[in-house]
Amino acid sequence: MVRYKIVSRNTGELKGTSVGFRTKHKLKGEWKREDAKSFTLETEHEMRSALSFIAASCDGAMPSADGRYLMLPIGNQDAGGVEAVLGSLSANGRAGLLVDLLRQATEAPELLTNLLDQAERNPALFAEAAATLNLARYKSALGELRYLIETSTREQDFQELLAEHPWMFGSEYSELLQDRNLVRGSQQDFVLRRTADKFIEIVEIKTPIPDRRLFRFNEERRVYYAGPELAFVVGQVQRYIEELDADRLRIQALDGEDTHKVRAKIIVGRDIDDGQRQALRRFNGHLHRIEVLTFDQLSQIAGQVVSYLQRLVPAAGR
């Protein structure tokens, strides 16, 4: 360690002192200087900060893990009091700090940009953080969907929930389109962009119709056949697709979409039992450009998304 006097070149006046730390190692019996590990403290503030850091390390106040630490001035606040507050922060308190940070990020574009840059450099860390932030919201939405399936007979209830949470449709879709008027004179419930091929898909939302089965069963013939509710909505969607195909040139010119690639999905009814599930599988196998899902299957798709987030945040599932 070396101590220097800092003197003005012009007046010779003593400006202060600096302290240098010179690290050496012995190589083949000769001491060699290690400039990379040598440094100089040039101001009183730097010296006092270094002393505080060393004292904290010696007293056991520093964390035991190796790493880099930031020392911040606390002004006139009592150091012991500040340390007690930080040490006693609950999980809710730490969560509050994170919420404040996110709120500041929305108001400060440079902070948000910095966070995105950090996320790109450390994707694993930020993936877990993002999963944590999404998990509570997604679990709440899934609970609401399951509650509506058991209690609601209003299409609008499901439409409003799915409009707010389109992730429930699954990862095969990348975008919820705002223009839902491809067919003139009618509005589709949802128009989604498929992830894999970028084509669009119409989704028609009905209700779970809890008091009715999608398929009737003929005892004499031992065969399942579509009930009136299912037959009606399939006919409705078939008409949508026919009108899209008939208006293909106009839609291509105005919307840039090839309607020959448009598919449709219907969400209606419940699974009820294995016979109904088998009948639906056979029914879908004979449909062209249309697939029917039950609300139970929609709930399973949304549940898989939540399960994936839970796997990213193992502690969240306990």
Side-chain angles (χ1 to χ4, degrees):
M1 187 170 67
V2 182
R3 182 173 181 269
Y4 300 96
K5 291 183 178 181
I6 303 175
V7 180
S8 171
R9 293 181 180 180
N10 297 324
T11 64
E13 179 185 359
L14 179 65
K15 294 290 188 180
T17 59
S18 65
V19 177
F21 294 81
R22 303 290 178 259
T23 303
K24 295 183 179 181
H25 70 282
K26 201 169 187 179
L27 181 63
K28 296 182 179 179
E30 184 179 352
W31 288 99
K32 299 289 186 180
R33 179 170 164 173
E34 289 185 282
D35 291 333
K37 296 182 180 180
S38 301
F39 60 95
T40 300
L41 303 176
E42 296 183 347
T43 66
E44 181 179 348
H45 173 71
E46 289 178 350
M47 295 180 198
R48 291 188 181 278
S49 296
L51 284 173
S52 299
F53 185 85
I54 294 169
S57 298
C58 294
D59 293 342
M62 294 290 294
S64 59
D66 294 339
R68 301 174 64 186
Y69 297 92
L70 176 65
M71 298 186 65
L72 296 174
I74 59 173
N76 296 324
Q77 300 295 323
D78 174 63
V82 172
E83 182 180 346
V85 170
L86 292 175
S88 64
L89 270 180
S90 64
N92 284 339
R94 295 187 182 97
L97 291 176
L98 178 57
V99 170
D100 286 340
L101 172 63
L102 293 174
R103 184 181 297 114
Q104 292 177 41
T106 62
E107 299 170 354
E110 67 280 2
L111 177 57
L112 187 57
T113 301
N114 241 325
L115 286 172
L116 293 175
D117 290 342
Q118 291 288 339
E120 187 174 354
R121 287 195 290 270
N122 195 346
L125 172 64
F126 280 82
E128 183 170 323
T132 304
L133 293 173
N134 279 326
L135 183 57
R137 178 171 174 263
Y138 280 24
K139 287 177 70 175
S140 175
L142 177 59
E144 186 175 353
L145 173 65
R146 290 174 174 171
Y147 175 78
L148 289 178
I149 290 173
E150 298 296 336
T151 62
S152 179
T153 57
R154 297 176 68 245
E155 293 179 20
Q156 185 178 355
D157 292 339
F158 295 97
Q159 291 169 358
E160 290 174 353
L161 179 64
L162 291 167
E164 187 176 354
H165 299 280
W167 57 267
M168 289 184 175
F169 291 117
S171 60
E172 64 177 301
Y173 304 106
S174 60
E175 183 183 4
L176 175 63
L177 303 183
Q178 298 304 312
D179 185 5
R180 297 183 290 144
N181 296 283
L182 294 176
V183 177
R184 284 182 292 184
S186 63
Q187 187 179 75
Q188 289 70 58
D189 290 342
F190 294 94
V191 180
L192 300 170
R193 177 83 61 192
R194 290 166 55 91
T195 302
D197 53 24
K198 306 303 180 185
F199 296 139
I200 62 173
E201 190 163 300
I202 296 169
V203 180
E204 186 71 17
I205 304 294
K206 293 302 180 182
T207 69
I209 48 173
D211 57 333
R212 302 255 183 120
R213 294 170 180 260
L214 287 180
F215 295 91
R216 306 295 191 264
F217 184 69
N218 184 290
E219 291 286 353
E220 182 181 353
R221 301 288 185 179
R222 304 295 298 171
V223 64
Y224 285 93
Y225 61 96
E229 296 85 4
L230 178 58
F232 173 78
V233 68
V234 169
Q236 181 183 19
V237 172
Q238 286 174 333
R239 183 183 57 114
Y240 284 160
I241 292 178
E242 288 174 357
E243 292 181 357
L244 283 169
D245 289 345
D247 210 11
R248 181 188 181 198
L249 295 179
R250 183 190 67 86
I251 295 172
Q252 277 187 315
L254 296 180
D255 302 300
E257 303 291 350
D258 185 355
T259 60
H260 283 183
K261 306 295 184 181
V262 171
R263 295 176 55 84
K265 187 165 287 182
I266 299 167
I267 300 176
V268 62
R270 302 290 302 271
D271 281 0
I272 307 296
D273 55 39
D274 190 57
Q276 292 286 310
R277 286 188 288 271
Q278 293 288 345
L280 179 58
R281 187 176 297 113
R282 289 193 296 271
F283 186 76
N284 276 324
H286 294 281
L287 291 177
H288 179 57
R289 296 168 63 182
I290 297 175
E291 180 184 14
V292 178
L293 292 180
T294 65
F295 277 91
D296 295 286
Q297 291 171 325
L298 177 67
S299 175
Q300 291 170 12
I301 293 170
Q304 286 297 317
V305 176
V306 172
S307 296
Y308 171 73
L309 292 179
Q310 286 178 318
R311 289 195 294 273
L312 289 179
V313 191
R318 294 197 290 269

